[in-house]
Amino acid sequence: MTLPSQAAIVVIGGGIIGCSTAYHLARDHKADVVLLEQGKLTSGSTWHAAGLVGQLRSSASITRVLKYSVDLYKGLEAETGLATGWKMTGCLRLATNADRWTEYKRLATTAKSFGMDMQLLSPAEVKAMWPLLETGDLVGASWLPTDGQASPSDITQSLAKGARMHGAKLFEDVRVTGFEMKDGRIATVKTSKGDIACDKVVNCAGQWARQVGAMAGINVPLQPVKHQYIITEKIDGLATEAPTIRDPDRRTYFKEEVGGLVMGGYEPNPQAWTTGDVPDDWEFRLFDDDYDHFEQHMRQAMARVPALETVGVKQMINGPESFTPDGNFILGAAPECANMFVGAGFNAFGIASGGGAGWVLAQWVVDGEAPLDLWVVDIRRFSDLHRDRQWVCDRTLEAYGKHYTIGFPHEEYASGRPRIVSPLYNRLKQQRAVFGSKLGWERPNWFAPEGVEPQDVYSMGRQNWFAAVGDEHRHVREKVGIFDQSSFAKYELSGPDALKALDWICANDVSKPVGQLTYTQLLNTRGGIEADLTVARLAEEKFYIVTGTGFRTHDLSWIGDHIGEGLDATLVDVTEEFGTLSLMGPRARDVLSAVTEADVSNTSFPFGHVREIAIAGHTIRALRVTYVGELGWELHVPIAATGEVFDALMAAGGRHGIRPVGYRALESLRLEKGYRAWGSDITPNDTPQEAGLGWAVKLRKNTDFVGRRALEKTSGAALKKRFAGFTVADPEIVLLGRETILRNGEPVGYLTSGGYGYTVSRNIGYGYVRNGDGVSDDFLASGDYELVVAMERTPAQIHLEPMYDPTAAKVKV
């Protein structure tokens, strides 16, 4: 078969992800698609994958992606005539201690929130299902009957056949050697068998995705890690339909295969392969068996399945799998190149994810935007930090080692820190700050009082920082606190067409006079919220844009991609040029007026305005805005002056009780005030109207903007879901998000975020209440509400207004 000279879409890589993407592009979109595989289909990681298919994740969208995989695999053989080896055996997850059991109760609640029936079983029920297991140390197990297993190579060959049936062209033994670029886009894919001109490229090259991306200047931060498992001889008494087993406290997994067992695990001391390029000819190849390294799994496995002591090992597999620094896979549009999309780094979940990842990636390639909220796997969650291969390797090995550890709330990574510090890092450390890390930045989460060890102690209940954060919270409500938010992402957009560009990009009206700022969302074509940020107008042709630390690459890329063709507007990332000190609390004005000659009275400097003021001899961009529900300013300081300005504020604020405050208090303060957090409370799946943010959308103004048509279509129709707040009085309850919301005993949604409100003395959660016939005020107010927390029902009160308002009667609970 001759290579075509052009194609609309070129998919690179013939593993399960590439074949699934080509299949969906051809089947769903009738796309002109060519797939290139440098060796044979499945010859990278796919052929030696263990083939476990689990579905539950902490994200509703990713769970939906994995559920789609299962539905696809069930029916694929009927379509293509090629078997997939799919068996819906169900999956048992074993628990041997109280914290793990709490985790499973929370997981089972999450599963039910997402429409899946996960059950909790006793040790006796586990023994009845799997008689060969040693169950004496079990507290219990979770059971998800719709999980299963499949044959990775068979699924991939079936998807490949399906792709061809729908018109895709697949070529083996064709290596991509480079790209011809034009205006920041790939114009031609260069290969060992000739060149292909194309419109779009999808990089599904598995462990080679990093170096394929690098040919086009794209960073794909993945790390190949050696992953071993064994296949045993036949075991007497092992049922062919035996459920797959995950035994995380022993770091191992099992699945039945031809009468024997596949057994592998995730060790705390994993072995990276190379931080350099993966050899091109690494096809159908493995590393030498490493029984010394694997012995830790063998010992644990024999304790769990004693029959393993006397059974022979038929084969050991030791192959590289692509892992990522946060354990989530990588999908989406590369920020450095407008027409390359990536599907890689599947962290040994490639088979479970393959069907669904190909489905959403194909849609993303065709539409230019994700079809649902895929932020946790979006390639734009990374930054320049992730170009450091050694840092990526160290963090990835830590993530691999945590694959089966208990997922404690608020747990932080330890490797590669500190990486990026603000000028205040040492000052805050001396004040006993306990830091967390966000996109490489060290940020104070809380401050340990004297007598309390300044470090996090993780648990499933209230953690060791709970009381200290309460003190910080109350301090901001009663006096004044200072937050180091230097890690905020900051951009400047300037030029004659800057306003025109922002008018199209922003859902709110940013065409305000110089000196004013606007809170706005950026919407996708479905009307879903892709970002929310602050836009300050510094001059007629200059705007200053501030967004969250973790969204730096994503929001910069989104804004850049949507500046209209031919517009004279320049977007620059200025994050490292400014430190940010947020001065918040009822005495904030007293402190600010003591360090500046500028008039900071309410008349002269009202809410929603930006002014340049002088502090300690430096020019500061002061934004009158708050995320805590109190009087406050964000002070954007030339980065080198951050320490001096901080010292001046601390000195002047001494008589007003000023103290530094951390991000955990910020979270509890915003929960009480009802401010939404992007990525949890508001996502690309939610419209401003559903989120109660319709006031921030310029629908009354005759200006077109991204998402307007979608919002107009639903305008006037009853909303099928609406954002609401909930409080729970029981102080022992811990709300984290994803707890099920019951209305009159029936599930109507789940929490998107949760925490504790120290001013209202209640647990606070937010989430969307759903109803197919519409969610009116009456519907919301007339229900009797409960939340399901770790499988236990607890009474809850609904709130449609902020629970705390400093200008009104304060507490509204």
Side-chain angles (χ1 to χ4, degrees), residues 528 681-692 718-724 748-750 752 767-776 779-780:
D681 303 323
I682 50 176
T683 75
N685 293 345
D686 312 306
T687 68
Q689 282 79 358
E690 292 165 342
L719 293 169
K720 302 268 190 349
K721 67 174 192 183
R722 277 180 61 190
F723 191 74
V748 290
Y750 55 89
T752 51
Y768 289 87
V769 175
R770 292 162 167 81
N771 181 34
D773 297 327
V775 184
S776 63
F779 178 85
L780 289 171

PDB file of all heavy atoms in Angstrom, residues 528 681-692 718-724 748-750 752 767-776 779-780:
ATOM      1  N   GLY A 528     -20.124  26.209  28.191  1.00  0.00           N
ATOM      2  CA  GLY A 528     -19.470  25.743  29.412  1.00  0.00           C
ATOM      3  C   GLY A 528     -18.303  26.643  29.780  1.00  0.00           C
ATOM      4  O   GLY A 528     -17.716  27.319  28.930  1.00  0.00           O
ATOM      5  N   ASP A 681     -16.182  23.493  41.201  1.00  0.00           N
ATOM      6  CA  ASP A 681     -17.560  24.027  41.201  1.00  0.00           C
ATOM      7  C   ASP A 681     -18.007  24.475  39.817  1.00  0.00           C
ATOM      8  O   ASP A 681     -19.183  24.370  39.484  1.00  0.00           O
ATOM      9  CB  ASP A 681     -17.663  25.223  42.157  1.00  0.00           C
ATOM     10  CG  ASP A 681     -17.246  24.878  43.560  1.00  0.00           C
ATOM     11  OD1 ASP A 681     -17.538  23.754  44.002  1.00  0.00           O
ATOM     12  OD2 ASP A 681     -16.619  25.722  44.221  1.00  0.00           O
ATOM     13  N   ILE A 682     -17.101  25.020  39.059  1.00  0.00           N
ATOM     14  CA  ILE A 682     -17.433  25.435  37.691  1.00  0.00           C
ATOM     15  C   ILE A 682     -16.415  24.819  36.745  1.00  0.00           C
ATOM     16  O   ILE A 682     -15.218  24.867  36.987  1.00  0.00           O
ATOM     17  CB  ILE A 682     -17.494  26.977  37.544  1.00  0.00           C
ATOM     18  CG1 ILE A 682     -16.245  27.658  38.129  1.00  0.00           C
ATOM     19  CG2 ILE A 682     -18.752  27.530  38.185  1.00  0.00           C
ATOM     20  CD1 ILE A 682     -16.203  29.165  37.936  1.00  0.00           C
ATOM     21  N   THR A 683     -16.922  24.208  35.680  1.00  0.00           N
ATOM     22  CA  THR A 683     -16.082  23.457  34.739  1.00  0.00           C
ATOM     23  C   THR A 683     -16.633  23.642  33.326  1.00  0.00           C
ATOM     24  O   THR A 683     -17.702  24.237  33.142  1.00  0.00           O
ATOM     25  CB  THR A 683     -16.107  21.945  35.073  1.00  0.00           C
ATOM     26  OG1 THR A 683     -17.372  21.397  34.637  1.00  0.00           O
ATOM     27  CG2 THR A 683     -15.918  21.670  36.557  1.00  0.00           C
ATOM     28  N   PRO A 684     -15.937  23.103  32.330  1.00  0.00           N
ATOM     29  CA  PRO A 684     -16.473  23.168  30.963  1.00  0.00           C
ATOM     30  C   PRO A 684     -17.819  22.447  30.792  1.00  0.00           C
ATOM     31  O   PRO A 684     -18.461  22.585  29.758  1.00  0.00           O
ATOM     32  CB  PRO A 684     -15.376  22.485  30.123  1.00  0.00           C
ATOM     33  CG  PRO A 684     -14.126  22.727  30.896  1.00  0.00           C
ATOM     34  CD  PRO A 684     -14.531  22.610  32.343  1.00  0.00           C
ATOM     35  N   ASN A 685     -18.235  21.676  31.791  1.00  0.00           N
ATOM     36  CA  ASN A 685     -19.546  21.008  31.729  1.00  0.00           C
ATOM     37  C   ASN A 685     -20.684  21.905  32.213  1.00  0.00           C
ATOM     38  O   ASN A 685     -21.852  21.528  32.106  1.00  0.00           O
ATOM     39  CB  ASN A 685     -19.557  19.745  32.603  1.00  0.00           C
ATOM     40  CG  ASN A 685     -18.638  18.656  32.091  1.00  0.00           C
ATOM     41  OD1 ASN A 685     -18.183  18.702  30.957  1.00  0.00           O
ATOM     42  ND2 ASN A 685     -18.365  17.674  32.923  1.00  0.00           N
ATOM     43  N   ASP A 686     -20.350  23.066  32.815  1.00  0.00           N
ATOM     44  CA  ASP A 686     -21.362  23.891  33.493  1.00  0.00           C
ATOM     45  C   ASP A 686     -21.475  25.257  32.823  1.00  0.00           C
ATOM     46  O   ASP A 686     -20.461  25.873  32.498  1.00  0.00           O
ATOM     47  CB  ASP A 686     -20.967  24.092  34.966  1.00  0.00           C
ATOM     48  CG  ASP A 686     -20.569  22.783  35.634  1.00  0.00           C
ATOM     49  OD1 ASP A 686     -21.366  21.836  35.585  1.00  0.00           O
ATOM     50  OD2 ASP A 686     -19.443  22.707  36.186  1.00  0.00           O
ATOM     51  N   THR A 687     -22.704  25.738  32.662  1.00  0.00           N
ATOM     52  CA  THR A 687     -22.898  27.074  32.094  1.00  0.00           C
ATOM     53  C   THR A 687     -22.997  28.094  33.230  1.00  0.00           C
ATOM     54  O   THR A 687     -23.301  27.729  34.372  1.00  0.00           O
ATOM     55  CB  THR A 687     -24.192  27.157  31.254  1.00  0.00           C
ATOM     56  OG1 THR A 687     -25.318  27.026  32.135  1.00  0.00           O
ATOM     57  CG2 THR A 687     -24.229  26.076  30.185  1.00  0.00           C
ATOM     58  N   PRO A 688     -22.757  29.386  32.931  1.00  0.00           N
ATOM     59  CA  PRO A 688     -22.875  30.412  33.976  1.00  0.00           C
ATOM     60  C   PRO A 688     -24.261  30.414  34.625  1.00  0.00           C
ATOM     61  O   PRO A 688     -24.379  30.599  35.841  1.00  0.00           O
ATOM     62  CB  PRO A 688     -22.618  31.721  33.216  1.00  0.00           C
ATOM     63  CG  PRO A 688     -21.786  31.319  32.037  1.00  0.00           C
ATOM     64  CD  PRO A 688     -22.268  29.953  31.656  1.00  0.00           C
ATOM     65  N   GLN A 689     -25.319  30.196  33.831  1.00  0.00           N
ATOM     66  CA  GLN A 689     -26.674  30.205  34.394  1.00  0.00           C
ATOM     67  C   GLN A 689     -26.841  29.070  35.402  1.00  0.00           C
ATOM     68  O   GLN A 689     -27.402  29.260  36.490  1.00  0.00           O
ATOM     69  CB  GLN A 689     -27.724  30.069  33.279  1.00  0.00           C
ATOM     70  CG  GLN A 689     -27.970  31.359  32.501  1.00  0.00           C
ATOM     71  CD  GLN A 689     -26.889  31.642  31.467  1.00  0.00           C
ATOM     72  OE1 GLN A 689     -25.930  30.893  31.341  1.00  0.00           O
ATOM     73  NE2 GLN A 689     -27.052  32.731  30.732  1.00  0.00           N
ATOM     74  N   GLU A 690     -26.368  27.880  35.052  1.00  0.00           N
ATOM     75  CA  GLU A 690     -26.463  26.741  35.977  1.00  0.00           C
ATOM     76  C   GLU A 690     -25.660  26.993  37.246  1.00  0.00           C
ATOM     77  O   GLU A 690     -26.039  26.565  38.331  1.00  0.00           O
ATOM     78  CB  GLU A 690     -25.948  25.474  35.287  1.00  0.00           C
ATOM     79  CG  GLU A 690     -26.830  24.998  34.145  1.00  0.00           C
ATOM     80  CD  GLU A 690     -26.146  23.968  33.249  1.00  0.00           C
ATOM     81  OE1 GLU A 690     -24.907  23.848  33.282  1.00  0.00           O
ATOM     82  OE2 GLU A 690     -26.870  23.285  32.496  1.00  0.00           O
ATOM     83  N   ALA A 691     -24.542  27.715  37.092  1.00  0.00           N
ATOM     84  CA  ALA A 691     -23.646  27.969  38.218  1.00  0.00           C
ATOM     85  C   ALA A 691     -24.069  29.180  39.049  1.00  0.00           C
ATOM     86  O   ALA A 691     -23.400  29.536  40.017  1.00  0.00           O
ATOM     87  CB  ALA A 691     -22.223  28.175  37.703  1.00  0.00           C
ATOM     88  N   GLY A 692     -25.171  29.829  38.663  1.00  0.00           N
ATOM     89  CA  GLY A 692     -25.611  31.022  39.390  1.00  0.00           C
ATOM     90  C   GLY A 692     -24.746  32.237  39.106  1.00  0.00           C
ATOM     91  O   GLY A 692     -24.667  33.170  39.900  1.00  0.00           O
ATOM     92  N   ALA A 718     -36.275  26.044  31.260  1.00  0.00           N
ATOM     93  CA  ALA A 718     -35.990  25.662  32.645  1.00  0.00           C
ATOM     94  C   ALA A 718     -34.618  24.999  32.722  1.00  0.00           C
ATOM     95  O   ALA A 718     -34.275  24.164  31.881  1.00  0.00           O
ATOM     96  CB  ALA A 718     -37.072  24.693  33.137  1.00  0.00           C
ATOM     97  N   LEU A 719     -33.825  25.398  33.719  1.00  0.00           N
ATOM     98  CA  LEU A 719     -32.505  24.788  33.912  1.00  0.00           C
ATOM     99  C   LEU A 719     -32.678  23.382  34.485  1.00  0.00           C
ATOM    100  O   LEU A 719     -33.460  23.168  35.403  1.00  0.00           O
ATOM    101  CB  LEU A 719     -31.661  25.636  34.872  1.00  0.00           C
ATOM    102  CG  LEU A 719     -31.248  27.019  34.369  1.00  0.00           C
ATOM    103  CD1 LEU A 719     -30.648  27.847  35.499  1.00  0.00           C
ATOM    104  CD2 LEU A 719     -30.250  26.902  33.219  1.00  0.00           C
ATOM    105  N   LYS A 720     -31.919  22.441  33.940  1.00  0.00           N
ATOM    106  CA  LYS A 720     -32.009  21.045  34.400  1.00  0.00           C
ATOM    107  C   LYS A 720     -31.107  20.778  35.611  1.00  0.00           C
ATOM    108  O   LYS A 720     -31.194  19.749  36.246  1.00  0.00           O
ATOM    109  CB  LYS A 720     -31.596  20.090  33.263  1.00  0.00           C
ATOM    110  CG  LYS A 720     -32.440  20.245  31.987  1.00  0.00           C
ATOM    111  CD  LYS A 720     -33.612  19.290  32.042  1.00  0.00           C
ATOM    112  CE  LYS A 720     -34.436  19.120  30.796  1.00  0.00           C
ATOM    113  NZ  LYS A 720     -34.280  19.991  29.683  1.00  0.00           N
ATOM    114  N   LYS A 721     -30.182  21.709  35.890  1.00  0.00           N
ATOM    115  CA  LYS A 721     -29.356  21.581  37.089  1.00  0.00           C
ATOM    116  C   LYS A 721     -29.022  22.975  37.587  1.00  0.00           C
ATOM    117  O   LYS A 721     -28.927  23.922  36.785  1.00  0.00           O
ATOM    118  CB  LYS A 721     -28.084  20.767  36.808  1.00  0.00           C
ATOM    119  CG  LYS A 721     -27.092  21.416  35.872  1.00  0.00           C
ATOM    120  CD  LYS A 721     -25.795  20.613  35.761  1.00  0.00           C
ATOM    121  CE  LYS A 721     -24.720  21.417  35.069  1.00  0.00           C
ATOM    122  NZ  LYS A 721     -23.468  20.753  34.846  1.00  0.00           N
ATOM    123  N   ARG A 722     -28.846  23.098  38.901  1.00  0.00           N
ATOM    124  CA  ARG A 722     -28.494  24.398  39.478  1.00  0.00           C
ATOM    125  C   ARG A 722     -27.563  24.230  40.663  1.00  0.00           C
ATOM    126  O   ARG A 722     -27.668  23.276  41.432  1.00  0.00           O
ATOM    127  CB  ARG A 722     -29.754  25.152  39.912  1.00  0.00           C
ATOM    128  CG  ARG A 722     -30.402  25.889  38.751  1.00  0.00           C
ATOM    129  CD  ARG A 722     -31.654  26.631  39.155  1.00  0.00           C
ATOM    130  NE  ARG A 722     -31.438  27.644  40.162  1.00  0.00           N
ATOM    131  CZ  ARG A 722     -32.443  28.280  40.784  1.00  0.00           C
ATOM    132  NH1 ARG A 722     -33.693  27.997  40.485  1.00  0.00           N
ATOM    133  NH2 ARG A 722     -32.180  29.199  41.697  1.00  0.00           N
ATOM    134  N   PHE A 723     -26.667  25.195  40.783  1.00  0.00           N
ATOM    135  CA  PHE A 723     -25.662  25.194  41.835  1.00  0.00           C
ATOM    136  C   PHE A 723     -26.297  25.612  43.153  1.00  0.00           C
ATOM    137  O   PHE A 723     -27.079  26.552  43.206  1.00  0.00           O
ATOM    138  CB  PHE A 723     -24.567  26.188  41.443  1.00  0.00           C
ATOM    139  CG  PHE A 723     -23.329  26.122  42.290  1.00  0.00           C
ATOM    140  CD1 PHE A 723     -22.426  25.075  42.151  1.00  0.00           C
ATOM    141  CD2 PHE A 723     -23.041  27.122  43.210  1.00  0.00           C
ATOM    142  CE1 PHE A 723     -21.262  25.029  42.903  1.00  0.00           C
ATOM    143  CE2 PHE A 723     -21.885  27.089  43.968  1.00  0.00           C
ATOM    144  CZ  PHE A 723     -20.988  26.036  43.817  1.00  0.00           C
ATOM    145  N   ALA A 724     -25.961  24.900  44.218  1.00  0.00           N
ATOM    146  CA  ALA A 724     -26.518  25.228  45.535  1.00  0.00           C
ATOM    147  C   ALA A 724     -25.485  24.904  46.608  1.00  0.00           C
ATOM    148  O   ALA A 724     -24.578  24.097  46.403  1.00  0.00           O
ATOM    149  CB  ALA A 724     -27.799  24.440  45.783  1.00  0.00           C
ATOM    150  N   VAL A 748     -29.977  13.385  43.602  1.00  0.00           N
ATOM    151  CA  VAL A 748     -30.198  14.456  42.615  1.00  0.00           C
ATOM    152  C   VAL A 748     -28.889  15.125  42.184  1.00  0.00           C
ATOM    153  O   VAL A 748     -28.898  16.092  41.431  1.00  0.00           O
ATOM    154  CB  VAL A 748     -31.161  15.545  43.163  1.00  0.00           C
ATOM    155  CG1 VAL A 748     -32.585  15.017  43.270  1.00  0.00           C
ATOM    156  CG2 VAL A 748     -30.669  16.094  44.502  1.00  0.00           C
ATOM    157  N   GLY A 749     -27.764  14.599  42.664  1.00  0.00           N
ATOM    158  CA  GLY A 749     -26.481  15.209  42.302  1.00  0.00           C
ATOM    159  C   GLY A 749     -25.430  14.844  43.319  1.00  0.00           C
ATOM    160  O   GLY A 749     -25.617  13.938  44.134  1.00  0.00           O
ATOM    161  N   TYR A 750     -24.310  15.571  43.272  1.00  0.00           N
ATOM    162  CA  TYR A 750     -23.215  15.305  44.208  1.00  0.00           C
ATOM    163  C   TYR A 750     -22.450  16.601  44.446  1.00  0.00           C
ATOM    164  O   TYR A 750     -22.530  17.538  43.657  1.00  0.00           O
ATOM    165  CB  TYR A 750     -22.276  14.208  43.682  1.00  0.00           C
ATOM    166  CG  TYR A 750     -21.722  14.470  42.315  1.00  0.00           C
ATOM    167  CD1 TYR A 750     -20.538  15.183  42.133  1.00  0.00           C
ATOM    168  CD2 TYR A 750     -22.397  14.024  41.170  1.00  0.00           C
ATOM    169  CE1 TYR A 750     -20.043  15.441  40.869  1.00  0.00           C
ATOM    170  CE2 TYR A 750     -21.903  14.285  39.896  1.00  0.00           C
ATOM    171  CZ  TYR A 750     -20.732  14.994  39.759  1.00  0.00           C
ATOM    172  OH  TYR A 750     -20.246  15.262  38.507  1.00  0.00           O
ATOM    173  N   THR A 752     -19.480  19.229  44.562  1.00  0.00           N
ATOM    174  CA  THR A 752     -18.299  19.523  43.743  1.00  0.00           C
ATOM    175  C   THR A 752     -17.134  19.993  44.602  1.00  0.00           C
ATOM    176  O   THR A 752     -15.984  19.889  44.204  1.00  0.00           O
ATOM    177  CB  THR A 752     -18.637  20.595  42.693  1.00  0.00           C
ATOM    178  OG1 THR A 752     -19.262  21.709  43.364  1.00  0.00           O
ATOM    179  CG2 THR A 752     -19.607  20.045  41.647  1.00  0.00           C
ATOM    180  N   GLY A 767     -22.709  21.942  45.273  1.00  0.00           N
ATOM    181  CA  GLY A 767     -22.916  20.984  44.197  1.00  0.00           C
ATOM    182  C   GLY A 767     -24.123  21.378  43.362  1.00  0.00           C
ATOM    183  O   GLY A 767     -24.812  22.364  43.645  1.00  0.00           O
ATOM    184  N   TYR A 768     -24.359  20.607  42.317  1.00  0.00           N
ATOM    185  CA  TYR A 768     -25.477  20.879  41.405  1.00  0.00           C
ATOM    186  C   TYR A 768     -26.622  19.929  41.716  1.00  0.00           C
ATOM    187  O   TYR A 768     -26.432  18.711  41.810  1.00  0.00           O
ATOM    188  CB  TYR A 768     -25.033  20.693  39.948  1.00  0.00           C
ATOM    189  CG  TYR A 768     -24.101  21.779  39.482  1.00  0.00           C
ATOM    190  CD1 TYR A 768     -22.728  21.670  39.680  1.00  0.00           C
ATOM    191  CD2 TYR A 768     -24.594  22.934  38.872  1.00  0.00           C
ATOM    192  CE1 TYR A 768     -21.862  22.670  39.273  1.00  0.00           C
ATOM    193  CE2 TYR A 768     -23.724  23.947  38.460  1.00  0.00           C
ATOM    194  CZ  TYR A 768     -22.359  23.809  38.668  1.00  0.00           C
ATOM    195  OH  TYR A 768     -21.515  24.807  38.271  1.00  0.00           O
ATOM    196  N   VAL A 769     -27.817  20.511  41.882  1.00  0.00           N
ATOM    197  CA  VAL A 769     -29.037  19.724  42.045  1.00  0.00           C
ATOM    198  C   VAL A 769     -29.649  19.555  40.661  1.00  0.00           C
ATOM    199  O   VAL A 769     -29.843  20.534  39.931  1.00  0.00           O
ATOM    200  CB  VAL A 769     -30.031  20.439  42.992  1.00  0.00           C
ATOM    201  CG1 VAL A 769     -31.345  19.671  43.070  1.00  0.00           C
ATOM    202  CG2 VAL A 769     -29.408  20.594  44.381  1.00  0.00           C
ATOM    203  N   ARG A 770     -29.922  18.295  40.291  1.00  0.00           N
ATOM    204  CA  ARG A 770     -30.414  17.989  38.944  1.00  0.00           C
ATOM    205  C   ARG A 770     -31.856  17.508  38.983  1.00  0.00           C
ATOM    206  O   ARG A 770     -32.256  16.793  39.902  1.00  0.00           O
ATOM    207  CB  ARG A 770     -29.532  16.892  38.310  1.00  0.00           C
ATOM    208  CG  ARG A 770     -28.116  17.334  37.995  1.00  0.00           C
ATOM    209  CD  ARG A 770     -27.171  16.157  37.782  1.00  0.00           C
ATOM    210  NE  ARG A 770     -25.895  16.552  37.185  1.00  0.00           N
ATOM    211  CZ  ARG A 770     -24.878  17.075  37.850  1.00  0.00           C
ATOM    212  NH1 ARG A 770     -24.971  17.259  39.151  1.00  0.00           N
ATOM    213  NH2 ARG A 770     -23.760  17.416  37.234  1.00  0.00           N
ATOM    214  N   ASN A 771     -32.595  17.876  37.928  1.00  0.00           N
ATOM    215  CA  ASN A 771     -33.970  17.370  37.763  1.00  0.00           C
ATOM    216  C   ASN A 771     -34.347  17.529  36.293  1.00  0.00           C
ATOM    217  O   ASN A 771     -34.282  18.641  35.749  1.00  0.00           O
ATOM    218  CB  ASN A 771     -34.946  18.151  38.663  1.00  0.00           C
ATOM    219  CG  ASN A 771     -36.366  17.637  38.523  1.00  0.00           C
ATOM    220  OD1 ASN A 771     -36.581  16.444  38.317  1.00  0.00           O
ATOM    221  ND2 ASN A 771     -37.341  18.524  38.623  1.00  0.00           N
ATOM    222  N   GLY A 772     -34.717  16.431  35.652  1.00  0.00           N
ATOM    223  CA  GLY A 772     -35.038  16.439  34.221  1.00  0.00           C
ATOM    224  C   GLY A 772     -36.157  17.397  33.853  1.00  0.00           C
ATOM    225  O   GLY A 772     -36.191  17.928  32.740  1.00  0.00           O
ATOM    226  N   ASP A 773     -37.074  17.655  34.790  1.00  0.00           N
ATOM    227  CA  ASP A 773     -38.207  18.550  34.503  1.00  0.00           C
ATOM    228  C   ASP A 773     -37.931  19.996  34.897  1.00  0.00           C
ATOM    229  O   ASP A 773     -38.829  20.838  34.845  1.00  0.00           O
ATOM    230  CB  ASP A 773     -39.469  18.054  35.234  1.00  0.00           C
ATOM    231  CG  ASP A 773     -39.897  16.683  34.732  1.00  0.00           C
ATOM    232  OD1 ASP A 773     -39.690  16.408  33.528  1.00  0.00           O
ATOM    233  OD2 ASP A 773     -40.406  15.884  35.537  1.00  0.00           O
ATOM    234  N   GLY A 774     -36.686  20.268  35.301  1.00  0.00           N
ATOM    235  CA  GLY A 774     -36.339  21.646  35.638  1.00  0.00           C
ATOM    236  C   GLY A 774     -36.124  21.826  37.136  1.00  0.00           C
ATOM    237  O   GLY A 774     -36.759  21.162  37.954  1.00  0.00           O
ATOM    238  N   VAL A 775     -35.201  22.741  37.453  1.00  0.00           N
ATOM    239  CA  VAL A 775     -34.883  23.028  38.857  1.00  0.00           C
ATOM    240  C   VAL A 775     -35.285  24.478  39.138  1.00  0.00           C
ATOM    241  O   VAL A 775     -34.526  25.409  38.885  1.00  0.00           O
ATOM    242  CB  VAL A 775     -33.376  22.813  39.138  1.00  0.00           C
ATOM    243  CG1 VAL A 775     -33.071  23.018  40.608  1.00  0.00           C
ATOM    244  CG2 VAL A 775     -32.929  21.423  38.706  1.00  0.00           C
ATOM    245  N   SER A 776     -36.480  24.673  39.659  1.00  0.00           N
ATOM    246  CA  SER A 776     -36.963  26.019  39.987  1.00  0.00           C
ATOM    247  C   SER A 776     -36.585  26.334  41.431  1.00  0.00           C
ATOM    248  O   SER A 776     -36.155  25.461  42.195  1.00  0.00           O
ATOM    249  CB  SER A 776     -38.489  26.065  39.854  1.00  0.00           C
ATOM    250  OG  SER A 776     -39.061  25.163  40.797  1.00  0.00           O
ATOM    251  N   PHE A 779     -38.635  24.144  43.586  1.00  0.00           N
ATOM    252  CA  PHE A 779     -38.128  22.769  43.635  1.00  0.00           C
ATOM    253  C   PHE A 779     -36.992  22.672  44.644  1.00  0.00           C
ATOM    254  O   PHE A 779     -36.934  21.758  45.471  1.00  0.00           O
ATOM    255  CB  PHE A 779     -37.648  22.338  42.248  1.00  0.00           C
ATOM    256  CG  PHE A 779     -37.067  20.941  42.197  1.00  0.00           C
ATOM    257  CD1 PHE A 779     -37.902  19.833  42.036  1.00  0.00           C
ATOM    258  CD2 PHE A 779     -35.705  20.736  42.330  1.00  0.00           C
ATOM    259  CE1 PHE A 779     -37.371  18.545  41.995  1.00  0.00           C
ATOM    260  CE2 PHE A 779     -35.160  19.455  42.289  1.00  0.00           C
ATOM    261  CZ  PHE A 779     -36.002  18.359  42.128  1.00  0.00           C
ATOM    262  N   LEU A 780     -36.084  23.649  44.593  1.00  0.00           N
ATOM    263  CA  LEU A 780     -34.935  23.629  45.505  1.00  0.00           C
ATOM    264  C   LEU A 780     -35.375  23.819  46.952  1.00  0.00           C
ATOM    265  O   LEU A 780     -34.924  23.096  47.852  1.00  0.00           O
ATOM    266  CB  LEU A 780     -33.937  24.730  45.124  1.00  0.00           C
ATOM    267  CG  LEU A 780     -33.149  24.503  43.830  1.00  0.00           C
ATOM    268  CD1 LEU A 780     -32.375  25.761  43.454  1.00  0.00           C
ATOM    269  CD2 LEU A 780     -32.189  23.330  43.977  1.00  0.00           C
TER     270      LEU A 780
END
